[in-house]
Amino acid sequence: MSERILILDFGSQVTQLIARRVRESGVYCEIHPCTMDDEAIAAFKPMAVILSGGPSSVTETDTPRAPESIFTLGVPVLGICYGQQTMCAQLGGEVAGSEHREFGRATLEVSDDCILFEGAWKKGGREQVWMSHGDRVIRIPEGFRVVGISDGAPFAAIADDERRFYGVQFHPEVVHTPHGAALIRNFTHHVAGCSDSWTMAAFRDNSIDRARRQIGEGRVVCGLSGGVDSSVVAVLLHEAIGDQLNCVFVDTGLLREGEAEQVVDLFRDHYNIPLVHRDASDLFLEKLEGVTDPEQKRKTIGAVFIDVFEEEAGKTGADFLAQGTLYPDVIESVSFTGGPSATIKSHHNVGGLPERMKMKLVEPLRELFKDEVRELGRELGLDEAFVGRHPFPGPGLAIRIPGEITVEKLDILRRADTIYLDEIRKAGLYDDIWQAFAVLLPVKTVGVMGDERSYEYVCGLRAVTSSDGMTADSYPFSHEFLSATATRIINQVRGINRVVYDVTSKPPGTIEWE
């Protein structure tokens, strides 16, 4: 890919959103730690560099700085929040702490014309932006001019048009800056000179060709879960190498109702992909007996899955293992800040395999975000039932049942979850929701059903919306919908006598909940 943007990550929780906006503008980009060395930067050959925000303070001595080489590459540089501050400090400006901090919505006064503002932002206008800073620039480097100010930041937007260096104190990548995407597109296209070359059709063709060259005459085994990621990997590789691919579907017994049959029908009968269906539900339940800690459940399920998969994969004689690693997995695994990835990714196999497996990795999706994977699935003609499916974590229903897992609890939750999703689909809401699921709470309540008292479980319902998978808000169901759904669950699922709906929002981080 000749046209690509380099994003250097200083630890912001929304750095991924910068990449999303760049790719939405039709330009390929990658996120790398701000510690990326000069040789790697030169080898990357970026058409422009973006410096992300971050939690550190430029006023302290041991905090990260941008590689000095990016300022001598001769390419445009855009600094966002901390990125603006460190750029100014490194080029001769000054940054200081401030008693006037800005967090949340703020108003930017556009004080001068700037190529970043073309189209959506007008000189003299006032624009809503999203701020998140305590420090601020108090003196800009020589060659820069002020193009935007706010109450808490006298240098909220600055420009050095000759060197094509720009800095903004606000976050254009978040949806709370309404015209932020236009600003980023102006940078990628009008400043950096990129074109709309990043298309999914081109990615599909390139990926198929790359897989063929990587695999050659070798054989590949793919762990198929029925989720979006592994399904797209399987169809893509089958197009690339045909019967050199074997899929292994491990049925953990923790899936939603009918999922195992759906996977087998689609991939074995429709696509004619060689598929091993291993029903290991009894083994998983045996290993989960007495386990109540959510993280221990994940680790137990992951360990059993690897053992079962390795046993079946060994029978295929495969040279390669195909994995549905996505770009967010890669980013979290290499983040210079360390972050929460060690915990969050404990159920993924990002960055390596058990040495005993002696297989090379094939990861055709490692450059994509989740919504891009869906787009690729559609490009490949994959059934919409798989492409549009809500995210469902590998541990499945096990982490939707706080406490010990039993066959009885799984059956109860599976029936309630099926009814809930059916009601969502009948109401035409499924595609408006990022993720919806039922939870069997570890409490029982006394109720009266008909002329008898009941002592049964409480079922929790969750549904969230998300534009990017980074943050989420509860879906605003109508009272009528919730009432009808709860009534149907209570009437049709023996073992539940009360239903509650969780309206908690989700802060930045993983989109899955225990």
Side-chain angles (χ1 to χ4, degrees), residues 236-254:
L236 177 72
L237 290 180
H238 189 247
E239 232 180 268
I241 61 173
D243 288 345
Q244 291 171 243
L245 171 70
N246 283 275
C247 291
V248 174
F249 172 49
V250 178
D251 188 346
T252 64
L254 306 171

Side-chain angles (χ1 to χ4, degrees), residues 477-497:
F477 285 124
S478 67
H479 174 75
E480 290 74 17
F481 174 88
L482 291 174
S483 178
T485 302
T487 298
R488 185 179 167 193
I489 289 174
I490 291 171
N491 286 342
Q492 297 183 17
V493 182
R494 186 174 296 277
I496 293 175
N497 68 3

Side-chain angles (χ1 to χ4, degrees), residues 78-81 84 87-88 102 107-117 121 127 129 131 133 136-137 140-141 144-161 165-172 183:
L78 171 63
I80 295 174
C81 196
Q84 182 213 39
M87 179 170 65
C88 285
E102 287 182 303
T107 299
L108 178 81
E109 181 182 334
V110 180
S111 58
D112 203 353
D113 291 325
C114 178
I115 193 170
L116 294 183
F117 298 155
W121 310 61
E127 296 286 340
V129 297
M131 294 281 194
H133 69 98
R136 64 178 180 178
V137 176
I140 57 177
F144 281 84
R145 62 191 176 93
V146 182
V147 296
I149 61 176
S150 72
D151 288 342
F155 303 106
I158 59 175
D160 180 335
D161 301 296
F165 292 168
Y166 301 88
V168 293
Q169 184 60 71
F170 56 91
H171 287 271
L183 184 151

Side-chain angles (χ1 to χ4, degrees), residues 270-281:
H270 178 74
Y271 283 106
N272 295 316
I273 297 176
L275 174 67
V276 174
H277 176 201
R278 169 72 179 274
D279 185 353
S281 52

Side-chain angles (χ1 to χ4, degrees), residues 3-122:
E3 294 187 350
R4 51 187 185 173
I5 303 292
L6 172 62
I7 301 170
L8 293 179
D9 179 24
F10 288 87
S12 169
Q13 59 188 355
V14 291
T15 298
Q16 290 188 31
L17 298 188
I18 303 174
R20 293 297 307 115
R21 303 300 169 251
V22 171
R23 291 191 180 187
E24 286 167 3
S25 76
V27 181
Y28 180 73
C29 64
E30 290 184 15
I31 298 173
H32 288 269
C34 63
T35 53
M36 188 178 189
D37 63 46
D38 293 344
E39 185 177 345
I41 292 172
F44 188 85
K45 297 181 180 178
M47 290 192 68
V49 178
I50 298 177
L51 310 178
S52 84
S56 303
S57 173
V58 174
T59 63
E60 299 175 6
T61 56
D62 294 330
T63 50
R65 298 292 185 269
E68 293 289 347
S69 66
I70 68 166
F71 301 120
T72 59
L73 281 177
V75 302
V77 179
L78 171 63
I80 295 174
C81 196
Y82 185 91
Q84 182 213 39
Q85 293 170 8
T86 193
M87 179 170 65
C88 285
Q90 291 177 242
L91 294 178
E94 187 176 354
V95 178
S98 172
E99 294 183 0
H100 192 155
R101 300 181 299 171
E102 287 182 303
F103 292 94
R105 288 179 176 85
T107 299
L108 178 81
E109 181 182 334
V110 180
S111 58
D112 203 353
D113 291 325
C114 178
I115 193 170
L116 294 183
F117 298 155
E118 286 185 358
W121 310 61
K122 304 297 183 183

Side-chain angles (χ1 to χ4, degrees), residues 286-487:
E286 176 188 331
K287 297 296 185 180
L288 286 169
E289 186 176 354
V291 178
T292 59
D293 178 72
E295 188 63 17
Q296 189 57 42
K297 285 180 187 177
R298 289 184 182 274
K299 291 178 179 178
T300 300
I301 293 167
V304 176
F305 181 89
I306 289 174
D307 288 344
V308 174
F309 178 79
E310 186 178 3
E311 179 183 339
E312 296 298 335
K315 301 174 184 177
T316 67
D319 310 290
F320 296 87
L321 171 65
Q323 247 183 205
T325 305
L326 303 190
Y327 197 45
D329 301 333
V330 177
I331 295 167
E332 289 186 15
S333 298
V334 301
S335 173
F336 87 98
T337 59
S341 59
T343 299
I344 294 173
K345 294 299 166 189
S346 63
H347 59 294
H348 286 279
N349 184 26
V350 179
L353 299 168
E355 290 186 10
R356 63 180 183 273
M357 293 189 74
K358 300 186 184 305
M359 283 191 281
K360 301 173 184 177
L361 274 177
V362 178
E363 299 174 303
L365 309 183
R366 65 182 287 115
E367 298 167 350
L368 301 183
F369 288 90
K370 192 72 164 188
D371 57 332
E372 293 173 326
V373 174
R374 297 186 195 281
E375 187 181 348
L376 175 59
R378 294 185 178 98
E379 189 72 34
L380 290 163
L382 186 60
D383 192 297
E384 188 64 30
F386 285 87
V387 174
R389 178 173 290 178
H390 290 175
F392 190 57
L397 298 180
I399 58 167
R400 307 301 185 222
I401 302 176
E404 186 175 5
I405 308 299
T406 66
V407 173
E408 177 196 20
K409 290 180 181 179
L410 285 168
D411 288 342
I412 292 172
L413 178 58
R414 199 173 276 119
R415 291 196 298 272
D417 190 71
T418 299
I419 291 171
Y420 180 35
L421 294 180
D422 182 57
E423 289 294 319
I424 288 174
R425 286 190 175 94
K426 287 197 302 185
L429 302 175
Y430 189 84
D431 292 337
D432 296 333
I433 295 170
W434 173 272
Q435 187 181 48
F437 53 84
V439 177
L440 193 66
L441 300 177
V443 292
K444 287 187 174 183
T445 63
V446 175
V448 176
M449 303 181 71
D451 296 323
E452 298 180 349
R453 289 188 180 277
S454 66
Y455 184 60
E456 296 177 324
Y457 288 104
V458 176
C459 175
L461 303 181
R462 191 86 204 263
V464 297
T465 60
S466 177
S467 61
D468 45 51
M470 292 291 293
T471 60
D473 286 317
S474 59
Y475 186 82
F477 285 124
S478 67
H479 174 75
E480 290 74 17
F481 174 88
L482 291 174
S483 178
T485 302
T487 298

